[in-house]
Amino acid sequence: MLRVDVVKQLGEFSLRATFETEGRVTGLFGASGAGKTSLVSMIAGLLRPDRGTISIDGEIMDDTAKAIHVPAWRRRIGYVFQDARLFPHLDVAQNLDYGRRMNRLADDPTQRKRVTELLDIGHLLDRRPGKLSGGERQRVALGRALLSKPRLLLLDEPLGSLDEGRRAEILPYLVRLRDEARIPMVYVSHDPAELRQLATQIVLLKGGRVTSVGGVKVLSG
Amino acid sequence: MFDITPTEWIAILLSLRVATVATWVATPLGIALAYVLARRDFWGKSLLDALIHLPLVLPPVVTGYLLLLAFGRRGPIGAFLADNFGIVFAFRWTGAALSCGVMSFPLLVRPMRLSIEAVDRRLEQAAETLGAAPWRVFFDVTLPLALPGVLAGMVLGFAKAIGEFGATITFVSNIPGETQTISSAIYSLIQTPDGDTAALRLVIISMVIAVAALIGSEWFARRATKRLHGN
């Protein structure tokens, strides 16, 4: 379960978000500028809230009143960015292995095989990110986050930088991921159609405030 | 013309040794300072920046004299190091390395700082979310991506150290076999009657070393860039 109750001032923009979700995929929906990325950055630990608390399954990640801030690298929260952010100096296999190495997890060939098959990236392993298409890069980024065995996976408009055709190429992988991977996800998007296909619960964000929380039907409201 | 005398060999090898030691010792320090200047904001940052650049704008003889005051046998730091660790800089080749290191430091730091500033911080964030502690982020992401600039800084520093003259001769004098580098050997030769040919020989050799260093850095930088961005 993810509990968020935060206040953050970013220049002129003020973000005050309170919500609680329990579901496989929480869709975080809102127009651009609604504060979606700032909110997931705070969940990831990359941005510190001015005030408030964030907890996952009862474990406190942030509590400003008690001066608790677990740094991003200790949170075990996977993050798939809109712009993939693969390491350009490492090949795909090394990119995929990075999270496992950093978290000192035992080598798990079965899991690696499952993820590379799920995302269909087995043939890319010895390539550098510079030689990949946008869709391939995003799939590798997804695999990299999954293989770090996170307790929560944040996906910040992972299809945002792709054209229609590429979106249609990746979406099925995300659906499979939801059904097979058993990792709770927070999926950020400004596209209702995308969220209808993926999300099990929706958090609506508007101008830095949570306006409603509920099933996918809140998207049509 | 190309019969290099033993004294000249000694000066050449000493120059190479002094510049190599100066560069290797200055590099970790340079990377650390470049990182701090590129990434941190703190009180006194412009002061630190000015201090690093001081040897570039001060007359070399002033820098040399300041080194002598501080690191000479009776200088506060020099006396301390000599009494406690047996490290002596005054009139030793180690002192030449120190003055070359100080003089070349601004040139060494600058490209390192620029290349660290150019590293995409979003990649560092990505590493963090994958569980990399700050020091791992530095060694796995920041440093490899800044490598071309780090190498450029090292070569520039090395080239400057090879050519350093004013501060070195002021600090450790011009003792053949101990502190006489190519530059000070050339200086001595042009002050001696009939020293012209030998001086010219050393001039050509120092030019060859400088050009080789530049070509070498170009090659390293290109390889590093290719390694970072291509297959």
Side-chain angles (χ1 to χ4, degrees):
Chain A
M1 189 197 320
L2 174 65
R3 273 173 204 264
V4 176
D5 178 10
V6 290
V7 176
K8 178 85 185 170
Q9 191 71 34
L10 296 151
E12 296 285 288
F13 182 75
S14 93
L15 180 69
R16 282 166 186 278
T18 306
F19 66 87
E20 209 182 289
T21 62
E22 189 152 25
R24 260 183 312 176
V25 180
T26 303
L28 192 57
F29 177 78
S32 53
K36 304 187 297 287
T37 298
S38 309
L39 195 54
V40 277
S41 297
M42 276 191 267
I43 297 171
L46 295 173
L47 194 63
R48 273 177 106 132
D50 295 339
R51 265 181 294 133
T53 55
I54 296 172
S55 70
I56 298 164
D57 300 326
E59 201 174 317
I60 292 166
M61 295 288 127
D62 271 295
D63 187 344
T64 51
K66 291 184 190 149
I68 296 174
H69 171 76
V70 178
W73 60 279
R74 284 208 178 114
R75 290 195 179 197
R76 301 293 301 272
I77 296 179
Y79 197 148
V80 179
F81 303 89
Q82 186 173 341
D83 49 350
R85 306 195 190 178
L86 300 178
F87 304 124
H89 56 302
L90 304 180
D91 63 25
V92 169
Q94 291 168 318
N95 266 283
L96 289 173
D97 203 35
Y98 192 77
R100 182 193 67 78
R101 277 178 43 221
M102 290 308 112
N103 290 299
R104 297 210 182 90
L105 305 172
D107 192 22
D108 187 347
T110 346
Q111 163 80 346
R112 190 166 54 223
K113 191 159 170 275
R114 243 188 43 214
V115 169
T116 48
E117 270 168 18
L118 176 80
L119 297 166
D120 201 8
I121 48 178
H123 58 296
L124 305 173
L125 292 179
D126 53 4
R127 287 202 216 164
R128 287 291 181 84
K131 305 268 174 181
L132 302 180
S133 74
E136 289 169 338
R137 244 175 258 173
Q138 211 51 274
R139 264 147 59 201
V140 174
L142 205 52
R144 183 178 68 172
L146 280 175
L147 287 169
S148 69
K149 299 200 173 162
R151 57 170 135 198
L152 174 71
L153 187 59
L154 306 170
L155 300 112
D156 187 4
E157 309 218 22
L159 309 182
S161 61
L162 306 174
D163 57 43
E164 271 314 308
R166 295 276 173 237
R167 283 178 195 222
E169 171 197 322
I170 308 242
L171 210 51
Y173 292 112
L174 292 171
V175 174
R176 268 162 79 183
L177 189 66
R178 177 194 62 191
D179 298 336
E180 293 174 23
R182 276 194 220 137
I183 297 170
M185 297 191 248
V186 173
Y187 192 99
V188 177
S189 181
H190 61 267
D191 180 5
E194 223 172 274
L195 286 177
R196 276 198 195 92
Q197 284 194 58
L198 284 169
T200 52
Q201 196 175 14
I202 300 290
V203 173
L204 266 177
L205 201 62
K206 202 171 184 179
R209 305 284 185 279
V210 174
T211 55
S212 59
V213 181
V216 264
K217 58 182 183 297
V218 301
L219 286 168
S220 24
Chain B
M1 165 90 195
F2 284 100
D3 293 328
I4 301 168
T5 65
T7 353
E8 288 162 27
W9 265 122
I10 288 169
I12 294 164
L13 293 177
L14 184 72
S15 276
L16 289 172
R17 178 162 62 163
V18 162
T20 307
V21 168
T23 308
W24 279 113
V25 174
T27 294
L29 198 63
I31 292 173
L33 276 169
Y35 183 83
V36 166
L37 289 171
R39 286 299 165 76
R40 297 266 189 276
D41 269 315
F42 52 91
W43 189 89
K45 182 172 167 176
S46 16
L47 192 70
L48 179 65
D49 197 25
L51 208 65
I52 290 171
H53 281 89
L54 212 54
L56 208 59
V57 287
L58 279 180
V61 64
V62 171
T63 307
Y65 187 58
L66 289 174
L67 285 172
L68 189 60
L69 290 181
F71 289 93
R73 275 193 203 275
R74 277 185 230 141
I77 308 174
F80 176 79
L81 289 175
D83 294 346
N84 294 288
F85 303 99
I87 302 172
V88 176
F89 287 108
F91 307 109
R92 296 277 174 86
W93 73 270
T94 45
L98 176 65
S99 68
C100 287
V102 168
M103 291 299 287
S104 61
F105 202 60
L107 292 170
L108 176 124
V109 170
R110 193 161 187 79
M112 293 181 180
R113 177 181 176 174
L114 291 174
S115 64
I116 290 172
E117 275 169 353
V119 170
D120 192 345
R121 303 194 68 168
R122 294 174 310 164
L123 292 172
E124 298 174 349
Q125 288 187 333
E128 261 184 83
T129 65
L130 289 163
W135 66 272
R136 292 238 49 154
V137 175
F138 177 77
F139 283 106
D140 289 350
V141 180
T142 320
L143 194 58
L145 291 175
L147 198 60
V150 169
L151 291 173
M154 287 176 75
V155 172
L156 216 55
F158 180 82
K160 171 72 188 171
I162 281 269
E164 216 296 309
F165 174 68
T168 309
I169 205 166
T170 312
F171 181 29
V172 293
S173 182
N174 186 357
I175 307 160
E178 187 63 45
T179 64
Q180 188 176 69
T181 59
I182 297 180
S183 305
S184 34
I186 293 172
Y187 173 74
S188 296
L189 285 168
I190 44 186
Q191 301 224 318
T192 340
D194 309 321
D196 291 355
T197 328
L200 197 59
R201 202 154 48 218
L202 285 178
V203 165
I204 292 168
I205 287 165
S206 66
M207 284 167 74
V208 168
I209 294 173
V211 171
L214 284 177
I215 292 173
S217 85
E218 202 43 44
W219 184 77
F220 269 124
R222 218 173 314 137
R223 250 181 62 129
T225 316
K226 214 169 133 190
R227 212 170 59 88
L228 293 183
H229 299 292
N231 238 332

